[in-house]
Amino acid sequence: MVFGAGGFLGARICALLADRGIEYRGLSRTRSEPYRRCDLAAMHPYALDTQIGMYKPTVIVNAVGATFGEPADLVRANVIAVEALLGSVRDQAGHARFVQLGSAAEYGGAPHGTSLSEDSAPRPLGPYGITKLAGSELVLRAQRAGADAVVLRIFDAIGPGAPDSTLTGRVIRDLRSRQLIEVGSLDVWRDFVDVRDVAEAVLAVALADGKLPPVLNVGTGRATLARDIAGQLFELSGQPATIVDDAEQETALGAPWQQADPTLIGDTLGWSPKVALEQSLADSWSEPV
C-alpha cells in the first residue's frame, strides 16, 4: 500500500510498481484516479483500520507529507499522519514492512565539502525539517519496539513532474509562463536526485529480505549549486529570463550545504543513482504540461 500516491514521489513509486507487475493499492488525500481517497491526518482510526485490514499489505510506503504551510499544517501531515498510520499498521498488519519517506532536511546542514551519513546528528533548521524528523522518530521508535520499519532520508528529489514546491518546479513554471524567475537564494548547494532513482530505492527496500538498517540515505553523493541548476534550465528553455534572487529566503531553504553519503544503501541493497543530473533536467523541461 502506498499512502500519498497522488504526490510527486508517491505517483512515481506507483508507476514503477505497475511497470514491474507488482500488486499494490495507492491511496491519496485528494480524489485523483485511480487512487482511493485517504486523508491520514483527518480520517477516523476505524476507517484507516478498515482500509489496511481489508488489503493486509506486506509493505506500507508512507509518501504523505507537506513541505510548506503553517506549522499546524506541517504537524498534521508530517507527524500526526505518521502516528495514525503506525498505529493502524501495528493493529492490522503487524507483519508488514513500514517504509517512511523522510527528508534530508532532518539533518540540517553540514560543513562545505562534507557528506551527511546516517550517523550524522539531526539538526533541522526550520518547521519542515523539525516536523519530518518528529515523524521519522516515531517510526524509529516503532522499529526499536520490534516493528519492521525503515526511514529513507531522501535528498532533493527532482525530475519530470516536480511540483512548484521544488527549485526545478518553480523555475520551469516561471520559464513557461513569464520572463521573470522568482526564487529563493540560489547560493545553496544541494544533492539533487532524480525521482525515478528514488522510486527504485523504495522498491529495493520494499522487496529486500531480512532486517535492514533503520535509516538509509537516498542521494547521489554529489552536491550541486542551485544557481547552476537554474542556469541549465534557462539554457534548455532557450528563453531570455530575469532572475529575482531573494537571499532573505535562504533561511527557509535551510543550510548552505547538503550532500549525501549513500554508501550504506549501496552496500546493503546494491542501489545507486542511474539518472544523470543533465538527463533529469532535460526530461523535466520536456515533460508535457
Side-chain angles (χ1 to χ4, degrees), residues 32-184:
S32 60
E33 292 293 335
Y35 309 126
R36 184 179 293 273
R37 189 172 186 276
C38 177
D39 187 344
L40 288 177
M43 70 189 307
H44 193 281
Y46 177 77
L48 182 56
D49 287 350
T50 301
Q51 288 286 336
I52 294 178
M54 181 189 308
Y55 296 110
K56 295 295 183 184
T58 56
V59 178
I60 300 279
V61 177
N62 182 29
V64 172
T67 309
F68 293 103
E70 295 297 321
D73 297 327
L74 293 172
V75 170
R76 278 193 291 270
N78 298 336
V79 185
I80 294 175
V82 178
E83 185 175 34
L85 187 53
L86 282 169
S88 189
V89 170
R90 180 193 62 230
D91 295 339
Q92 302 297 322
H95 62 286
R97 171 165 290 168
F98 192 100
V99 184
Q100 167 75 3
L101 302 195
S103 169
E106 297 172 37
Y107 287 123
H112 193 95
T114 64
S115 297
L116 289 156
S117 73
E118 291 81 358
D119 293 330
S120 299
R123 295 188 178 92
L125 298 178
Y128 170 66
I130 291 170
T131 55
K132 286 297 290 184
L133 177 61
S136 291
E137 287 295 336
L138 290 173
V139 177
L140 294 175
R141 185 175 66 182
Q143 191 269 345
R144 289 192 293 271
D148 184 358
V150 182
V151 173
L152 297 184
R153 287 204 173 125
I154 298 167
F155 282 67
D156 281 50
I158 61 173
D164 293 348
S165 59
T166 65
L167 170 66
T168 57
R170 290 195 302 276
V171 172
I172 289 172
R173 176 202 63 192
D174 288 350
L175 281 169
R176 286 176 170 163
S177 61
R178 52 185 177 167
Q179 293 182 329
L180 182 65
I181 313 303
E182 296 181 308
V183 294

Side-chain angles (χ1 to χ4, degrees), residues 180-217:
L180 182 65
I181 313 303
E182 296 181 308
V183 294
S185 173
L186 292 173
D187 295 321
V188 296
W189 296 76
R190 291 290 180 268
D191 190 327
F192 296 97
V193 57
D194 190 87
V195 65
R196 292 162 289 192
D197 283 326
V198 173
E200 291 284 0
V202 173
L203 184 59
V205 169
L207 300 181
D209 293 328
K211 187 176 177 62
L212 294 174
V215 178
L216 290 168
N217 285 341

Side-chain angles (χ1 to χ4, degrees), residues 245-267:
D245 184 352
D246 186 359
E248 292 183 359
Q249 292 188 30
E250 183 171 346
T251 302
L253 290 172
W257 174 274
Q258 276 191 336
Q259 177 175 281
D261 178 354
T263 302
L264 185 58
I265 192 171
D267 291 347

